[in-house]
Amino acid sequence: MKEVLLIIDFGSQYTQLIARRVRELNVKSEIIPFDKFENISKNTMGVILSGSPQSVNDKNAPSVDLSIIRKKVPLLSLCYGAQLIAHNLGAKVIPSKSREYGRSKIITVSQKGLFKDVKNNSQVWMSHGDTINDLPSGCKLLASTNDIKVAAYKIINEDTFGIQFHPEVYHTKYGKQIISNFLDICNFSRSWTSESFIESTIKKLKQKLGNDKVLMGLSGGVDSTVAAYLLHRAIGDNLVCLFVDNGLLRKNEFDSVLANYKDLGLNIYSENASDIFIKNLEGITDPEAKRKIIGATFVEVFDRCSLKFKNIKWLGQGTIYPDVIESVSATGGPSDTIKSHHNVGGLPKKMKLKVIEPLRNLFKDEVRRVGFALNIKNEIINRHPFPGPGLAIRIMGEIDVEKLKILKDADFIFISYLKKCGLYESVWQAGAILLGDSTVGVMGDGRTYEKVVALRAVESTDGMTADWCHLPYDFLSDVSNQIINKVNGVNRVVYDISSKPPATIEWE
């Protein structure tokens, strides 16, 4: 029997992080929207209720029939989920006098059960405007903070738990331990691995695709390559891979990517469509418009290229979960759109090809682990993430050939220096951004009025949160000098020291 941890989604941006923490602990997890939940399957050994941007006091607050779950399998409810259970038990959930957003310290009643090996006064991550005013009837207190009394509770004589904070985020120091403790309470055997994901995914792809042919869009990065490998394992020669030069790639990237793909055993074709992408982006300054135009143009190019091959029915994409969660609600819940990714929210509603995305529910580091399990070479697996819309969202404002040349040259210097100085692999993602405004400078005895290049380098695990890298001053100084001296049209270089949130990794 396949053991499953079911996550009921109330629209939290963190829902997939819960699933990801569970998978890290070698347990298969599945997510279902609250309004699609009807019953638990015989394979379900535990349930987690997610948070939500809504309040349990809202008129149309999301809810589920908890009697279907309680006393049947262990239940862990997080933030909104904890408030929902408390509300149903008759406790008051009210707007907090002292709202908690960010770091807090918990004081546990006992280091047993759910809080086994969790130290007192350890850091947890709060994100709530409401609070549980008093302990629900028939419950016992498990933890508090300096600001709220009911930070965690348990229903007496059943394995139902409520936690006001978010153990799924990295900022909660013992969050993984708490989730691990809950999985122990559920009696999971913990046999789900990257290898088991590969096996189950290939099986699903075979069932879904049958003898259909797939045109896979390759980018040179880890996501599309791993997706292509999985598809190739499932359908063999019925997979055709296409690498499109959209004119928005890094300097020399088209040739270097094709060289990297040699001897991989995939049917790979290339298409230079630079002119049509650049033409379609003429005069466009709005970032969302850029993404949607690029998404639509990719589909146009793939539709046209699919005619070169017989009976192509599917378009394969390397979409991963951060793309989905920032573009649309991945599970149908009421979560907010951060930005449209060209391969998700940027796709047109009507397409000739159906879309297949084997990695849609994985994070970047999970994709890398799957890639290593598939024995894909390190140069591809360890490559920095690069946005699907390419340099289009790293040029502020309108795009033209001259700006693209400036940015490509500046970016090439930055990335080359990271590799030369042994810093590339300690950085999760890096790139240069060309700002829209020009600034006054002095070169020789003359006045200049030229562009500004911003350098961005971040450390992250999953792309959902990120912090700026503390690169050495001497390194930044050398890169700045090289860019200003060697890239015509640039007289100023700045370094971005903002984290995500509140910023995003990309500028557009």
Side-chain angles (χ1 to χ4, degrees), residues 230-248:
L230 290 170
L231 284 163
H232 187 255
R233 290 273 188 96
I235 62 174
D237 288 340
N238 278 340
L239 175 69
V240 176
C241 298
L242 181 66
F243 179 43
V244 175
D245 185 354
N246 59 6
L248 307 170

Side-chain angles (χ1 to χ4, degrees), residues 48 75-76 80 103 145 202 219 221 284 304 311 353 403 444:
I48 295 179
L75 172 62
L76 176 62
Y80 176 90
R103 296 169 178 83
T145 72
I202 291 172
S219 69
I284 304 300
R304 173 166 49 81
N311 302 318
L353 302 176
K403 290 178 183 177

